[in-house]
Amino acid sequence: MFHKKNIIIIGGGINGLSAALELTRRPFSFLCRRVTVVDGDKELGGLARHADYCYGLPRNTRSQLLWGGFRLGKKMTSIVLGDDNDSVLLRPTRGGTKYIGLDNDLVRNHRLLEKKMKKYIKIWQKIVSHAPPKFEGDRRDFPNLIRAGLAFKLMSKKSQYDFLKIIAQNGDDIFNEHLGEGQSQALTSLWNFHSTHGSGLYATHSGTIPALWSRQAFGKNLGLTAYALDPEKLFRAFERVLKRRGVVIETGKKVAEITSEFRNQQQCVTGVKLAGGKTIAADIVLSTLAPHRTIQLVGAREFDGELVRRTHHVRGRGLVAHMTITTKQQPKIIANQKKSPTRIVITGGRQQLESQFLDSKYDSYPSQFPIAMTWRHDKLFLQIFNQPLRVKQNANQVKKIVLDQLKTYLPDLDPQKVELTLPDDMADYGGGDDYREAGNPAFPKAHPAAWHHADLTLDQLWAWRPINGVASGASVGFSHYRTPIDNLYVGGAACHPGGDIHGMAGILAARTILKTARKISNNKK
């Protein structure tokens, strides 16, 4: 007898909604599966609701959201404010980017760097657009890997060496090598800003080039280009399209437990229990929460002890606060760009960027923060990076530092109202715990308010994301969207290829479900 599968997606962020979009993409998919999205917040979007720009969306997502009336925003003019009046303006044009404030030699070097990045990311795009191979003899995993290998093989020996050197080197070394040490602190620090963007990488501030490629792989152009994003329009379009496809969206209903039972010599998921006590039966559950939070919902006793321990040691700090400033008029620096959407990035230069990161790393507030800001709906929206998290967070101190900083860079700004959301305030978006309680002296490395849930470091990339492990059996390591619990899948920002505003982790998790989900009807009692 035909059995219609009930699929529950925990989390209404960019990955959860992208997974629901993928699961219902084919015509008449509603006949064979019923998809429900459950989110504890009253609005869809999760952490992505605080985003003001993105690097690009996957092609399938863009085309499907057109039916919901959503179009990706225009490319933004980026104004980079460094130290010692070192500022750069990057204005998008039809032919590329116009640089204002740079000498011709530096512009030429920068274009060569972007050209090289675009050449090499074509290989990386083949890696981040597909699930990583499980290395367990499944031949279906290897065609994409073979295509990436052929693209690498067809390069010259010099390009092959250069490609491997870029992957292995620290990002800051690459930027300085191509742009010239000390020529433009603003431009080099902007590359460093893009390479970390929401991560806390512990050793030094600068991230790795694969992290940058993973984050920007779905844009039309790699480099310093970003697209203006209206998150409200984005998630309204998601909601409209999904409801047309019969997806049930339950907001304001927090999941208290993922239920399971022992069936046919295998622990198997049976549904979810909400905070109010209501239980929703399910054949398949997809969690987009932080890995340790997913384990908590199921119960640590159901998992291998080593897996639980390693999950708690995933490196991923939530370093970003969000501020909204209501003001009577646009700052002149933004108004001068006329109708072009504008992003201002305050970096303070390479040395100051590194110093700010080290202050955060060693648990103190810096004198200035790296800030990215945009103007939308008559308000100024700020992303404030490098928040220290092992000390008690102080909203008043953050506000004072930021407003004093803005007096220097935007002297005509007249704040009327200031609203601040600290990383701990955003913990619920990742399904995580509130770390402000005094009874919790140890701060875990994996913070649920982190944009990526797991930092994009070389040991937490691709098949090893967020922790390495085989794809099947009792010791499955969350690396391939599956868990030791039968029909419990994971597809959040901790999974390959990472977080940010693209939702590819959710899409790849949904494809894994469609390929590997067992026939539930055969397991029913």
Side-chain angles (χ1 to χ4, degrees), residues 366-386:
S367 58
Q368 290 189 340
F369 293 108
I371 296 175
M373 68 184 84
T374 59
W375 175 267
R376 193 179 77 250
H377 302 325
D378 298 327
K379 293 181 180 179
L380 200 62
F381 295 88
L382 292 79
Q383 303 288 349
I384 308 164
F385 294 80
N386 290 357

Side-chain angles (χ1 to χ4, degrees), residues 24-98:
T24 57
R25 184 165 63 91
R26 295 189 179 279
F28 306 109
S29 58
F30 63 91
L31 293 175
C32 55
R33 64 189 74 95
R34 184 176 186 267
V35 179
T36 302
V37 177
V38 182
D39 194 278
D41 200 28
K42 294 181 180 179
E43 298 180 61
L44 294 175
L47 282 176
R49 207 167 64 238
H50 293 282
D52 306 309
Y53 55 89
C54 71
Y55 299 116
L57 295 171
R59 184 179 301 174
N60 283 342
T61 303
R62 290 200 310 269
S63 61
Q64 292 179 79
L65 290 180
L66 281 175
W67 296 99
F70 176 79
R71 292 180 179 272
L72 192 60
K74 297 179 180 178
K75 292 180 182 178
M76 308 183 78
T77 295
S78 295
I79 302 174
V80 192
L81 303 177
D83 53 359
D84 300 325
N85 296 317
D86 180 16
S87 61
V88 177
L89 190 148
L90 295 86
R91 181 175 293 154
T93 63
R94 288 188 178 183
T97 304
K98 182 178 180 180

Side-chain angles (χ1 to χ4, degrees), residues 260-275:
S260 64
E261 66 180 24
F262 197 73
R263 185 190 301 159
N264 293 342
Q265 299 183 342
Q266 172 71 37
Q267 196 71 20
C268 183
V269 74
T270 59
V272 300
K273 182 182 289 186
L274 303 182

